[in-house]
Amino acid sequence: MDRLIIINGVVFDPINNIDGEIKDILIESGKIVEKFSNETDVKEIDAKGKTVIPSAVDIHTHVASQQVNWARLLGTNNNKFKEIWQGLTLKNIAKNYISNGYTFILEANVFPSLAKQTVFDFKQLPVLDKAMLLNVSNFWPLELEFQRGKIDDMAIFLSDLLSKTYGFGIKIYNPFENENWNFRELREDISQMGRLYNFSALDVYENAVKCVETLGLPHSTHAHIEGYENEIGKRNLITVLEKIKSLNIETSQNADSDLKRKQILHIAHANAYNFDGNNENLINFLNENQNFDIDVGFVGFNQINPVITSDRRLINSMLTEDINENPRKLISSAVEFEGDSFITMRNFSKENYQDCVLWANALDLVLNIRNKFQISFSLNFPNYANLSDIPEIVTWLISKDARENFMKDMNNDFLKNSTLSINEKVLDFSEFVCVTRASPAKSLGLANFKGNLGSDADGDLNILDININEIDISKNPEKLKRALSNIEYVVKSGKIIKKQKEINLNPNGLIFWSNGKAEVKERDFIISKKTDFYQKYSSMFYNSYKISINKEFLRRVV
């Protein structure tokens, strides 16, 4: 069946300014079209009285890496882990994403030398389209480029690296802090120079942003700021934001001007930096600077959560808290030239003050940042919440009553200090669609394909068994929760992959990748120098990054 029409649906599509219109959606050869090439062999779904929205897009997840294998290992003998996370198998991950309306995910932290593992997992992960960000924050082959600001050279090298690994973009994550870790220190100032290199963390952020915009990559530099879930994070976050703002750089993504990304820097799990619960500075900055955006990680208060991170500061704080009462198993590793990884388990509790602050920060940011295209809904999966938590999390965004009911048994000091209880703001349904679908698609530079129902977009959509135009979701959040808990249809590239409780895991998704556009005149010389660098100083050859994969699994984004 090559043609599908969804008739009479109540359509919400923020990118195309469609807000509850009754409209037919036509899909042919996997794409949304204005009209069919012919009327033969057309399957019809009558969505009368139902709501049609684009499929969801996850801008920040950790599902396809060596670290996930270690999380599975740590959970082998843990009954809570096995019950809640179902072993974190790729099949169950795909099934749970589809059940919640997702058809695209971004693996947000991959060391270049481990990209082969991620691509292997991507090939085994059914249905979903996916992409990965390469973590080059501690990447010694870029030492001279970071030190001297050689942006063109850096762009040529990273473009070639993205081509070899089929990466989608660049992640910056506690730049070169692992050098301090090796001296058993934690850096207190991200503007200080290293012992072994003559540049600062701020230089890495600056040069990465310049490089990504030189290449015109679909997604901006994606940053994890040092001090995540720590008091120092607040200062570091604002320092980085002000530094990048001072550069006066404009986005250079090659796309239709109305659909290309607006931001030059994306901040991951932005709720994790203001550990005092005061988000005013970050909210004001974002409201005044439209060329920055964030994702927020919602806490689901599961009994146990895997922690997949490269942040030693976070791990140190977790391992020193109540170590006698709640000892944690930990797997750690160091990847030559590239950085460190840590895997452990933790549990979020409503009785814990800081856990409640982390929960409230996500809501505070989403409700108070005016431009919803600057916010992407996330779980930092699996670090903060499980996919099955999403329908309830949505109720906190759309209903003050739902928030208050959930907060009743939280930490008493938190309840006394939090301003969330007096915040009357809620998201309307179109804003919910924006932060879960339109905004992450646009931030990723994929608004031509994902997160919308316009002509020539991918035929990815959800049909909810609810007529949003006939109810006040702020007064009836449970009705939307029920509809999201059992999405009636999920359509991927024009194929029905979920119909009520039946899920089809047979189709393959694609790996999205991009290498941007780099200058070619110096390419051979620069790549030869990097090849020599690896031959002299590394235990692997540069060309060993090259991944062999059938082209039918790939989709290049120009």
Side-chain angles (χ1 to χ4, degrees):
M1 187 70 64
D2 198 38
R3 298 177 188 86
L4 175 67
I5 182 169
I6 296 96
I7 63 171
N8 302 321
V10 180
V11 177
F12 287 81
D13 179 5
I15 284 178
N16 292 298
N17 298 310
I18 298 172
D19 190 15
E21 297 178 25
I22 296 177
K23 182 175 168 55
D24 298 345
I25 304 293
L26 287 67
I27 306 173
E28 182 173 1
S29 300
K31 296 284 188 180
I32 295 175
V33 296
E34 294 292 335
K35 64 179 183 178
F36 291 133
S37 59
N38 64 69
E39 299 298 326
T40 62
D41 200 22
V42 176
K43 180 176 178 60
E44 179 181 296
I45 299 175
D46 189 350
K48 184 177 182 180
K50 302 177 188 208
T51 300
V52 180
I53 58 177
S55 290
V57 174
D58 193 346
I59 198 170
H60 191 121
T61 188
H62 304 280
V63 300
S65 66
Q66 179 64 49
Q67 294 93 317
V68 180
N69 289 336
W70 294 332
R72 296 180 186 118
L73 178 63
L74 283 182
T76 299
N77 297 317
N78 188 310
N79 290 331
K80 285 183 180 177
F81 175 85
K82 289 189 285 188
E83 176 187 349
I84 296 170
W85 298 95
Q86 301 172 309
L88 273 180
T89 65
L90 293 172
K91 181 177 179 180
N92 284 328
I93 288 170
K95 184 176 180 180
N96 290 332
Y97 264 114
I98 294 164
S99 295
N100 285 280
Y102 286 82
T103 56
F104 184 94
I105 62 170
L106 180 76
E107 169 62 51
N109 184 36
V110 177
F111 291 132
S113 63
L114 298 181
K116 288 182 180 179
Q117 170 75 45
T118 298
V119 169
F120 175 83
D121 285 347
F122 277 173
K123 289 171 65 177
Q124 313 307 312
L125 186 67
V127 181
L128 301 170
D129 289 334
K130 45 262 178 178
M132 64 174 163
L133 300 179
L134 298 184
N135 184 340
V136 298
S137 320
N138 296 279
F139 204 38
W140 283 106
L142 286 174
E143 178 187 3
L144 290 178
E145 285 77 6
F146 287 138
Q147 178 177 318
R148 300 176 184 176
K150 300 173 74 173
I151 304 303
D152 290 340
D153 291 5
M154 183 178 174
I156 289 170
F157 176 45
L158 287 183
S159 177
D160 190 69
L161 186 65
L162 288 165
S163 299
K164 280 183 165 56
T165 59
Y166 297 110
F168 182 74
I170 299 303
K171 178 72 171 277
I172 300 297
Y173 198 128
N174 292 17
F176 280 86
E177 192 183 37
N178 68 337
E179 187 253 16
N180 291 67
W181 296 343
N182 292 334
F183 288 109
R184 299 186 178 182
E185 297 175 358
L186 287 174
R187 182 170 56 204
E188 295 302 323
D189 185 352
I190 59 174
S191 65
Q192 74 184 46
M193 301 295 181
R195 293 193 189 186
L196 303 179
Y197 51 86
N198 191 29
F199 56 89
S200 71
L202 277 180
D203 293 326
V204 175
Y205 285 111
E206 174 181 342
N207 291 329
V209 169
K210 289 178 177 178
C211 178
V212 167
E213 299 312 323
T214 296
L215 287 170
L217 291 175
H219 187 41
S220 67
T221 301
H222 188 117
H224 171 121
I225 307 297
E226 186 175 319
Y228 161 68
E229 292 192 35
N230 190 282
E231 291 179 4
I232 199 174
K234 184 168 190 168
R235 183 180 74 214
N236 287 342
L237 175 62
I238 294 300
T239 299
V240 171
L241 292 175
E242 291 292 351
K243 175 64 175 180
I244 302 305
K245 176 185 175 182
S246 72
L247 303 177
N248 295 315
I249 295 174
E250 294 185 3
T251 180
S252 63
Q253 183 205 354
N254 296 318
D256 182 284
S257 60
D258 292 330
L259 294 177
K260 71 179 181 181
R261 62 172 165 88
K262 302 297 184 186
Q263 87 281 5
I264 58 170
L265 185 68
H266 177 88
I267 301 297
H269 39 66
N271 57 304
Y273 301 104
N274 294 324
F275 223 40
D276 59 359
N278 184 348
N279 297 288
E280 184 178 2
N281 288 344
L282 178 55
I283 291 169
N284 289 340
F285 182 92
L286 291 167
N287 282 338
E288 294 167 5
N289 296 277
Q290 302 294 299
N291 56 343
F292 293 78
D293 71 2
I294 63 173
D295 64 70
V296 292
F298 285 92
V299 177
F301 291 100
N302 298 117
Q303 291 176 290
I304 190 170
N305 278 84
V307 178
I308 299 172
T309 184
S310 293
D311 195 315
R312 187 184 292 258
R313 189 182 296 268
L314 172 65
I315 291 298
N316 282 0
S317 65
M318 289 177 59
L319 294 181
T320 55
E321 291 173 0
D322 301 322
I323 192 166
N324 294 322
E325 297 179 17
N326 188 21
R328 305 175 193 272
K329 293 181 180 180
L330 172 72
I331 296 177
S332 63
S333 71
V335 179
E336 184 181 41
F337 280 177
E338 297 178 15
D340 298 341
S341 294
F342 307 95
I343 316 298
T344 188
M345 299 283 177
R346 67 171 165 183
N347 65 294
F348 290 105
S349 170
K350 286 185 172 185
E351 297 177 359
N352 182 290
Y353 180 86
Q354 291 300 159
D355 290 350
C356 294
V357 169
L358 197 62
W359 173 84
N361 282 352
L363 290 160
D364 193 27
L365 292 168
V366 175
L367 295 173
N368 288 297
I369 293 170
R370 290 190 293 268
N371 181 0
K372 303 310 178 190
F373 276 99
Q374 289 179 271
I375 311 161
S376 292
F377 178 102
S378 174
L379 305 178
N380 194 6
F381 180 83
N383 289 357
Y384 282 169
N386 205 338
L387 297 165
S388 58
D389 300 326
I390 290 175
E392 181 174 21
I393 292 171
V394 172
T395 67
W396 309 334
L397 292 169
I398 64 169
S399 168
K400 185 175 185 295
D401 290 341
R403 283 201 299 272
E404 290 181 342
N405 287 334
F406 188 80
M407 291 172 65
K408 283 180 180 177
D409 56 347
M410 283 188 165
N411 178 279
N412 286 331
D413 289 335
F414 164 77
L415 292 176
K416 291 176 185 176
N417 295 328
S418 176
T419 60
L420 193 59
S421 59
I422 59 173
N423 191 332
E424 300 288 337
K425 296 178 181 177
V426 295
L427 297 191
D428 62 30
F429 187 74
S430 186
E431 290 173 326
F432 154 72
V433 175
C434 184
V435 300
T436 56
R437 287 144 169 91
S439 177
K442 197 165 187 178
S443 179
L444 290 170
L446 297 177
N448 284 311
F449 321 117
K450 303 292 184 183
N452 79 95
L453 301 174
S455 180
D456 208 36
D458 291 354
D460 297 3
L461 57 83
N462 302 166
I463 302 176
L464 310 182
D465 190 12
I466 187 173
N467 187 338
I468 296 297
N469 285 344
E470 292 185 352
I471 66 168
D472 182 345
I473 57 173
S474 67
K475 300 274 195 313
N476 299 280
E478 288 298 317
K479 289 187 177 181
L480 181 57
K481 180 180 177 181
R482 285 195 295 271
L484 292 173
S485 297
N486 187 22
I487 296 173
E488 185 162 4
Y489 285 92
V490 178
V491 176
K492 164 76 165 52
S493 299
K495 293 181 172 61
I496 298 171
I497 57 173
K498 182 181 188 296
K499 181 180 180 181
Q500 297 174 343
K501 294 186 177 181
E502 295 181 9
I503 295 178
N504 176 12
L505 293 179
N506 290 323
N508 290 318
L510 297 176
I511 299 172
F512 283 51
W513 73 281
S514 181
N515 63 341
K517 186 176 181 180
E519 295 291 335
V520 296
K521 58 183 179 180
E522 298 290 333
R523 181 189 179 282
D524 291 345
F525 174 71
I526 290 168
I527 299 304
S528 69
K529 289 190 68 174
K530 296 303 180 187
T531 301
D532 290 343
F533 179 92
Y534 273 83
Q535 191 155 350
K536 289 178 182 178
Y537 303 115
S538 175
S539 61
M540 64 184 290
F541 294 113
Y542 176 60
N543 284 333
S544 65
Y545 282 126
K546 178 64 179 174
I547 295 175
S548 297
I549 183 173
N550 194 316
K551 302 301 182 185
E552 69 184 34
F553 289 103
L554 300 172
R555 181 173 180 179
R556 186 185 178 198
V557 181
V558 179

